[in-house]
Amino acid sequence: MANVAVVGAQWGDEGKGKVVDWLSERADVVVRFQGGHNAGHTLVINGVTYKLSLLPSGVVRGKLSLIGNGVVVDPWALLDEIDRLCAQGVAITPDVLKVAENACLILPLHAQIDRAREEASGAAKIGTTGRGIGPAYEDRVGRRAIRVCDLNCRATLEARIEGLLRHHNALLRGLGAAEIDGQDLLEKLLAVAPRILPYADVVWQRLDELRHTRKRVLFEGAQGAMLDVDHGTYPFVTSSSTVSGNAGTGSGVGPGQVGYVLGICKAYTTRVGAGPFPTELFDPIGERIGDRGHEFGTVTGRRRRCGWFDAVLVRQAVKVGGIDGIALTKLDVLDGFEELKICIGYRLGDKVLRHLPASMAEQPLVEPIYESLPGWSESTRGARSWKDLPASAIKYIRRIEELIEAPVALLSTSPEREDTILVQDPFST
């Protein structure tokens, strides 16, 4: 049985939560390996909706759930999420949830800096969630971060806070914002420590033990490939690596242990926040897709931008992310359209491109080249086998496979976990 990594193949919000929940029944362990509480997964189980941000999706089903070292953790947001899930009847204990002791913390000052910089950027803002994820990752690589394990020692915290504020208060002064009180921050961290430390664990070691007992591990990513800090639409990206290569480093295992890579993408395209979006629709069709797909961010509540399926971007995600198969979601949103379009290339001046250029000057200038396909009038919602799908829907799926150069391994036809067509089981590949 292979381990499986689930990653987004667009700009996030592709429906990873449902797919991870569906796969978690076949897994023994679920590991979140990057991102922060800016990511959001929505699960619908027996008619009950669960909204997750930091917690791995497997926690709802009682699976051993690990938050890896590649995640930046807001301890207060994590506790709020645990309390909210517990109120819904989900038992979350240190036996079920483990947080890497070497994971870096998101502090209140990070959100303050995040918002202050966005405000100072004016029209050039990148559309962050304002939750401090970017500044926390900057502290991580700048070796200023406070980590989960530091909560266990007051002297360490005092020293780390002093070094942290030497940097950040100078930055806040430059932005004309209020400086951070170090003593107040210390007291807040000491107060939250007793609730966080019981979850702390040596996650890389636990994963190694699980490997020796041949447990099946599901690596859960956040956001999507086009938000990857290296391969996405830079600078309109997140602050971590969102592709499958980070599943190993973000959880503490070698690349050979990742196994099958499942990329998630919608049957159309959405994006939240600023940045280029070649197939974005500014007409009633885009509005219709957004309304039918309930396209609002799980965390932010912001309306998502909507457009036609972009095969160029997804093929790019397949290549840079080592994606073996695709889980195609929200096919039912396209029910009733007479005509559907797929972007098969870009026109940039007198050139035709089969990739999105890296240049931030060129990205907004590319024009999509579309191929039209007939739509279908029948409903695909709730379909659980290929024979339940209209011929035009199958043709649409097959054309996507050809263009992105990867097979559709799973097909989701509603938010309910059982409304899934399995073509290829990632765990048995």
Side-chain angles (χ1 to χ4, degrees), residues 161-393:
I161 288 172
E162 182 181 355
L164 194 67
L165 296 190
R166 190 180 305 119
H167 172 85
H168 285 300
N169 278 339
L171 179 60
L172 288 167
R173 282 195 300 271
L175 292 169
E179 295 185 28
I180 304 299
D181 182 336
Q183 186 61 35
D184 179 66
L185 177 58
L186 174 64
E187 290 173 2
K188 287 178 178 176
L189 288 170
L190 290 174
V192 81
R195 290 196 64 194
I196 290 294
L197 286 172
Y199 296 101
D201 197 15
V202 186
V203 164
W204 67 264
Q205 191 173 68
R206 185 156 306 259
L207 284 169
D208 185 60
E209 293 167 355
L210 292 166
R211 178 174 66 89
H212 288 295
T213 55
R214 301 184 66 80
K215 298 295 186 183
R216 288 168 293 186
V217 180
L218 185 61
F219 297 92
E220 178 183 8
Q223 290 99 21
M226 290 301 109
L227 291 175
D228 184 90
V229 69
D230 291 312
H231 301 290
T233 49
Y234 191 90
F236 301 98
V237 293
T238 193
S239 301
S240 61
S241 176
T242 63
V243 297
S244 64
N246 194 32
T249 54
S251 55
V253 302
Q257 294 180 46
V258 173
Y260 189 97
V261 180
L262 182 69
I264 318 296
C265 66
K266 288 174 180 168
Y268 49 95
T269 311
T270 62
R271 177 166 199 172
V272 170
F277 185 169
T279 65
E280 185 173 9
L281 295 170
F282 301 95
D283 59 12
I285 293 177
E287 291 286 329
R288 182 180 174 188
I289 291 174
D291 291 341
R292 294 194 63 185
H294 305 290
E295 294 298 349
F296 296 90
T298 300
V299 172
T300 64
R302 290 185 291 182
R303 188 177 181 89
R304 297 176 184 133
R305 301 154 64 189
C306 297
W308 293 120
F309 186 86
D310 192 331
V312 180
L313 284 186
V314 176
R315 181 174 61 243
Q316 197 162 321
V318 167
K319 303 303 182 184
V320 301
I323 291 173
D324 297 298
I326 287 288
L328 191 66
T329 67
K330 292 198 168 185
L331 181 71
D332 57 300
V333 173
L334 300 181
D335 292 351
F337 283 86
E338 291 185 5
E339 180 187 50
L340 301 173
K341 293 184 179 181
I342 299 177
C343 176
I344 60 172
Y346 301 132
R347 187 169 284 106
L348 179 63
D350 58 354
K351 296 185 294 184
V352 173
L353 304 178
R354 295 186 75 247
H355 72 283
L356 186 67
S359 167
M360 64 178 295
E362 293 182 333
Q363 285 178 351
L365 302 180
V366 300
E367 298 177 1
I369 300 170
Y370 287 118
E371 177 180 299
S372 296
L373 286 86
W376 53 89
S377 58
E378 305 94 324
S379 174
T380 62
R381 188 175 180 85
R384 298 184 181 181
S385 69
W386 284 106
K387 65 181 178 60
D388 296 330
L389 297 175
S392 294

